């Protein structure tokens, strides 16, 4: 039997565990709690398994009695009839118990796969933004896909292939030892040991080849997904052939590794068949010699032959099972590696829920670094009173958007504190913190679904009328009304079917629908034209009224009414005050204002 597989281990930000860690029993131990939820099903299924094997081993014994009785006097004609009936019942019992086992255990396997896949999915969403900025989407998706599929395979192979094989071999050896010469048992045991040792040794050698196939397949898959996600960029630079060549380079590696894997598999199969052939020949020689000498009957010869056939099938299958289990473990280790990734951001043991109502935000001497050798924020200190608006301006890279990420607790600060209503946000549950904050990000990414779905995502329980009202407030309703499918229009992957301004208006509608006490506008109108910006600005001002609002802005004309404006440079607040106060100070803000006024005058000309 030959099997080939293109399943692979993804290349991701998570380091691969060493090969020796992918062992059977620790993995089964991790799976145990998921299976034990249905313990009675498991117990009954195992009972059916043993019953099936007892019936299967009894069949050759009945067959021997039939042969011996037929070779005797004709007066014993009634005996073979009864034996035939028993023979048929045992044959049916084997299939009956096997199918009952599958029926009982089907729910157990599928539920375990579902729960583990869901746990991995949830865990990925709980990992920090730092992890997701480093990961490769194609690789992580393959982790979950192959890991889930391999869990099902591992459970089936281990509990319903290895165990039945061991039970059947044990029963056959007992029968041979009780009824025949010890040489039969010795030859059987030697064949088994030689087969198992050869299979394990060669299969372990093939693991390195398997890993190379996996790595090459994952690299090709990641390369393809990355290229397709950046379809527009590929087209901009006319690089279709360049991308095809890069993809083919990865596929060449996969082709070489897969070829080696198939050739090594053929050598493994050939070696296994040699061992089995030698064992079968020796057993039949002994049995035939016994018949010639008169020590054994024709029925004994048939019994030994039947046992050899029954042993041959599970023994041959045992080699396949071992290879499949090793491959499944190789795939599952990546999924468990993901589950083992430490959550950088986690709720404190005694974390409290942020109470509903108005929220005051206070940054106190906040330092922050994405990397140890590159500090982003230096002693940032400001307060947004409940219901007030604070705007932050500055050059690109000055740390403006980092403030929003820290307020959302995508990262933990290096020093200082960020407090909401006097409580450090690290002492609040992340769920209550993020429920209280709505954001319109600079780069809006939408789900590959309908406009209605993407707007309603801000509050999945919102009614249709509330969704339509939010779209109206974001100046989006007019655009949607002229679309053939209206709110059911699909936006494409990452919203590529919409313009930048349309995507940003969807984000605004989503934030308005969420209706939180704290709002963050991270350059929320940067992708809009001047006319649309002015139309939406009134909606943003209305939405911000009575809420604690942090506005990160590029166009200074959009934040003139802010209660306080912070000017950042190099991760520090260098100026603060109202629009009028900052203009009168004649500092950095005044220079920025003058420059933007000149640019707008040039655009009007």
């Amino acid at each position: 039997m030959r099997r080939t597989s293109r399943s692979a281990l993804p290349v991701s930000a998570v380091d691969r565990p060493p090969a020796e860690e992918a062992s059977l029993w620790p993995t089964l131990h991790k799976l145990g709690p998921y299976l034990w939820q249905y313990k009675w099903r498991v117990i009954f299924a195992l009972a059916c398994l043993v019953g099936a094997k007892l019936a299967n081993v009894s069949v050759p014994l009945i067959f021997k009695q039939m042969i011996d009785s037929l070779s005797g006097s004709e007066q014993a004609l009634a005996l073979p009839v009864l034996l035939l009936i028993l023979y048929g019942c045992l044959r049916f019992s084997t299939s009956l118990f096997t199918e009952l086992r599958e029926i009982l255990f089907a729910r157990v396997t599928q539920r375990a796969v579902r729960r583990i896949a869901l746990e991995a999915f949830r865990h990925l969403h709980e990992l920090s933004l730092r992890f997701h900025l480093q990961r490769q989407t194609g690789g992580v998706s393959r982790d979950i896909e192959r890991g889930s599929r391999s869990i099902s395979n591992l459970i089936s192979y281990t509990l319903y292939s290895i165990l039945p094989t061991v039970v059947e071999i044990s029963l056959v050896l007992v029968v041979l030892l009780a009824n025949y010469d010890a040489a039969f048992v010795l030859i059987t045991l030697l064949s088994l040991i030689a087969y198992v040792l050869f299979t394990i040794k060669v299969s372990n050698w093939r693991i390195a080849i398997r890993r190379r196939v996996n790595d090459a397949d994952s690299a090709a898959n990641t390369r393809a997904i990355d290229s397709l996600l950046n379809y527009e960029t590929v087209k901009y630079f006319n690089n279709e052939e360049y991308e095809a060549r890069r993809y083919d380079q990865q596929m060449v590696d996969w082709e070489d590794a897969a070829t080696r894997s198939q050739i090594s598999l053929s050598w493994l199969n050939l070696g296994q068949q040699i061992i089995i052939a030698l064992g079968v020949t020796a057993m039949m020689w002994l049995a035939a010699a016994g018949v010639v000498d008169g020590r054994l009957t024709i029925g004994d010869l048939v019994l030994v032959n039947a046992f050899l056939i029954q042993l041959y099938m599970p023994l041959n299958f045992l080699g396949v099972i071992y290879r499949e289990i090793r491959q499944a473990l190789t795939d599952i280790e990546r999924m468990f590696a993901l589950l083992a990734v430490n959550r950088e951001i986690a709720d404190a043991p005694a974390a409290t829920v942020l109470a509903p109502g108005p929220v005051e935000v206070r940054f106190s001497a906040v330092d922050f670094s994405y990397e140890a050798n590159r500090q982003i924020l230096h002693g940032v200190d400001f307060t947004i009173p409940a219901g007030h608006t604070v705007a932050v301006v500055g050059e690109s890279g000055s740390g403006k958007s980092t403030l929003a990420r820290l307020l959302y607790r995508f990262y933990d600060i290096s020093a200082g504190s960020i407090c909401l209503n006097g409580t450090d946000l690290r002492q609040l549950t992340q769920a209550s913190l993020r429920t209280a904050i709505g954001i319109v990000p600079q780069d809006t990414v939408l789900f590959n679904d309908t406009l209605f779905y993407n707007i309603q995502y801000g509050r999945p329980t919102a009614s249709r009328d509330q969704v339509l009202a939010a779209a109206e407030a974001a100046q989006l309703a007019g655009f949607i009304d002229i679309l053939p499918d209206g709110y059911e229009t699909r936006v494409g992957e990452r919203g590529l079917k919409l313009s930048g301004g349309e995507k940003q208006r969807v984000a605004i509608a989503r934030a308005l629908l969420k209706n939180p006490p704290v709002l963050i506008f991270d350059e929320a109108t940067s992708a809009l034209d001047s006319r649309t910006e002015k139309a939406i600005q009134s909606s943003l001002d209305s939405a911000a009224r009575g809420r604690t609002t942090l506005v990160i802005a590029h166009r200074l004309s959009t934040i003139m009414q802010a209660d306080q404006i912070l000017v950042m440079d190099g991760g520090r607040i260098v100026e603060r005050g109202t629009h009028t106060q900052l203009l009168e100070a004649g500092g950095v803000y005044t220079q920025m204002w003058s420059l933007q006024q000149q640019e707008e005058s040039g655009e009007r000309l």
Side-chain angles (χ1 to χ4, degrees):
M1 181 180 296
R2 290 179 174 89
R3 293 194 178 189
T4 58
S5 173
R6 284 194 55 190
S7 62
L9 291 177
V11 180
S12 70
V14 185
D15 294 332
R16 172 179 288 111
E20 60 269 22
E21 291 185 9
S23 52
L24 176 61
W25 298 115
T27 302
L28 288 177
H29 180 71
K30 294 177 183 177
L31 294 175
Y34 299 98
L35 300 178
W36 200 241
Q37 179 185 4
Y38 293 95
K39 58 183 177 181
W40 291 115
R41 280 178 177 260
V42 174
I43 292 172
F44 287 141
L46 292 176
C48 289
L49 181 155
V50 174
K53 291 307 172 185
L54 284 172
N56 200 39
V57 171
S58 299
V59 168
L61 294 172
I62 300 299
F63 198 52
K64 165 187 158 43
Q65 297 299 323
M66 289 171 52
I67 297 298
D68 286 342
S69 63
L70 286 173
S71 61
S73 65
E74 295 182 0
Q75 295 177 351
L77 184 60
L79 182 59
V81 173
L82 295 176
L83 290 174
L84 280 170
I85 295 173
L86 183 57
Y87 177 84
C89 290
L90 288 173
R91 281 287 187 189
F92 175 73
S93 297
T94 300
S95 298
L96 175 64
F97 283 126
T98 300
E99 296 306 320
L100 284 175
R101 177 199 72 191
E102 295 297 333
I103 291 171
L104 287 169
F105 206 72
R107 174 72 66 182
V108 180
T109 302
Q110 304 310 321
R111 179 61 60 84
V113 171
R114 171 190 159 198
R115 287 182 61 197
I116 295 172
L118 178 61
E119 183 178 336
F121 181 79
R122 282 178 168 161
H123 184 71
L124 285 173
H125 278 288
E126 291 173 352
L127 295 178
S128 69
L129 182 61
R130 193 189 311 276
F131 171 87
H132 287 281
L133 290 176
Q134 294 173 343
R135 68 168 168 79
Q136 293 175 312
T137 305
V140 171
S141 67
R142 283 292 181 98
D143 279 342
I144 298 178
E145 173 194 347
R146 281 196 301 267
S148 300
R149 183 177 63 245
S150 295
I151 285 170
S152 177
N153 293 340
L154 181 65
I155 292 173
S156 299
Y157 291 146
T158 304
L159 297 182
Y160 292 144
S161 293
I162 291 182
L163 183 57
T165 300
V166 171
V167 170
E168 187 161 10
I169 290 175
S170 300
L171 290 174
V172 169
L173 291 176
V174 168
V175 172
L176 290 175
L177 185 61
N179 296 282
Y180 301 100
D181 191 84
F184 286 95
V185 176
L186 181 61
I187 293 173
T188 302
L189 284 175
L190 289 176
S191 299
L192 281 172
I193 293 171
Y195 184 94
V196 170
L197 291 178
F198 175 78
T199 300
I200 291 175
K201 185 175 181 61
V202 177
S203 295
N204 286 338
W205 167 67
R206 292 187 68 248
I207 287 177
I209 302 175
R210 163 75 175 178
R211 285 187 181 278
R212 186 182 166 194
V213 175
N214 290 345
D215 289 342
D217 182 56
S218 292
N221 182 68
T222 300
R223 180 69 54 79
I225 289 179
D226 191 44
S227 181
L228 291 174
L229 288 176
N230 292 282
Y231 168 83
E232 288 181 280
T233 303
V234 174
K235 287 295 184 183
Y236 289 152
F237 294 94
N238 196 31
N239 277 341
E240 293 90 344
E241 283 304 314
Y242 173 71
E243 290 295 322
R245 286 195 301 271
R246 294 179 72 215
Y247 178 69
D248 190 50
Q249 287 173 0
Q250 298 294 339
M251 291 303 295
V252 167
D253 291 340
W254 171 83
E255 179 185 348
D256 292 342
T259 301
R260 285 192 61 198
S261 178
Q262 182 59 55
I263 292 173
S264 64
L265 179 60
S266 297
W267 283 112
L268 174 60
N269 288 336
L270 185 60
Q272 291 170 336
Q273 298 311 311
I274 291 174
I275 294 172
I276 289 175
L278 291 174
V280 167
T281 302
M283 290 279 284
M284 291 306 296
W285 180 81
L286 274 180
V291 172
V292 171
D293 295 341
R295 292 180 290 106
L296 300 177
T297 66
I298 298 296
D300 291 320
L301 181 65
V302 172
L303 175 65
V304 170
N305 183 67
F307 273 160
L308 288 176
I309 294 174
Q310 287 191 191
L311 276 181
Y312 169 81
M313 293 304 296
L315 192 60
N316 182 62
F317 195 52
L318 184 63
V320 177
I321 291 301
Y322 180 78
R323 296 195 301 267
E324 293 296 331
I325 285 177
R326 294 299 300 177
Q327 291 172 3
L329 289 171
T330 303
D331 291 338
I332 291 172
E333 67 175 337
R334 295 299 297 152
M335 190 177 210
F336 282 137
L338 279 176
L339 289 171
V341 174
N342 183 49
R343 288 186 296 168
E344 182 181 342
I345 308 299
D347 287 343
T352 58
V353 174
L354 179 64
V359 175
E360 177 191 77
V361 176
R362 181 186 297 273
F363 279 65
S364 300
V366 171
D367 291 345
F368 176 71
S369 301
Y370 288 110
E371 300 172 1
N373 58 353
R374 187 169 69 95
Q375 189 166 343
I376 303 299
L377 299 181
H378 304 265
V380 173
D381 198 307
F382 66 90
T383 300
I384 312 176
H388 286 64
T389 298
V390 168
V392 183
V393 299
E395 299 295 332
S396 296
S398 61
K400 305 187 301 297
S401 295
T402 299
L403 298 177
R405 290 179 171 181
L406 294 179
L407 184 55
Y408 250 98
R409 209 189 166 200
F410 286 154
Y411 302 94
D412 275 338
I413 59 179
S414 306
S417 65
I418 303 174
C419 296
L420 278 69
N421 288 342
T423 302
D424 193 307
L425 59 77
R426 290 169 291 192
Q427 300 304 315
L428 298 171
T429 63
Q430 295 176 72
S432 67
L433 170 68
R434 291 166 186 163
T435 297
I437 304 174
I439 187 168
V440 180
Q442 179 179 0
D443 182 19
T444 301
V445 177
L446 304 181
F447 293 96
N448 189 5
D449 211 299
T450 64
L451 280 166
F452 184 88
Y453 175 87
N454 277 283
I455 297 172
Q456 192 185 41
Y457 199 80
R459 184 155 47 98
T461 58
S463 67
R464 185 172 184 84
D465 288 340
Q466 291 171 324
V467 172
L468 268 57
E472 184 73 38
Q475 303 293 316
L476 193 59
F479 159 71
I480 295 177
D481 289 340
I482 64 175
L483 296 174
D485 295 327
Y487 282 87
E488 299 308 310
T489 301
R490 300 190 73 87
V491 302
E493 189 160 9
R494 295 164 52 238
L496 289 177
K497 291 184 179 180
L498 303 182
S499 68
E502 290 160 355
K503 287 196 294 184
Q504 210 144 20
R505 279 181 281 175
V506 172
I508 293 170
R510 200 155 55 184
L512 294 174
L513 182 65
K514 187 177 182 181
N515 195 27
V518 179
L519 279 175
I520 300 174
F521 299 130
D522 188 358
E523 301 196 26
T525 60
S526 61
L528 305 180
D529 56 78
S530 298
R531 181 179 177 182
T532 306
E533 179 187 41
K534 291 179 180 178
I536 291 179
Q537 192 61 46
S538 61
S539 299
L540 295 180
D541 293 340
S542 176
R545 192 171 300 122
R547 293 186 174 88
T548 305
T549 307
L550 175 64
V551 181
I552 299 167
H554 171 70
R555 296 179 184 174
L556 303 185
S557 58
T558 63
I559 47 96
M560 293 170 56
Q561 304 303 319
D563 297 302
Q564 186 179 47
I565 299 172
L566 309 177
V567 182
M568 294 193 68
D569 184 29
R572 293 179 171 84
I573 298 176
V574 294
E575 293 180 4
R576 68 179 74 206
T578 64
H579 174 71
T580 303
Q581 291 171 341
L582 290 173
L583 287 180
E584 291 175 351
V588 176
Y589 184 84
T590 304
Q591 295 174 9
M592 295 173 61
W593 175 263
S594 299
L595 182 60
Q596 288 192 13
Q597 290 299 304
Q598 292 174 12
E599 291 175 351
E600 291 178 7
S601 297
E603 290 176 1
R604 287 194 293 268
L605 294 176

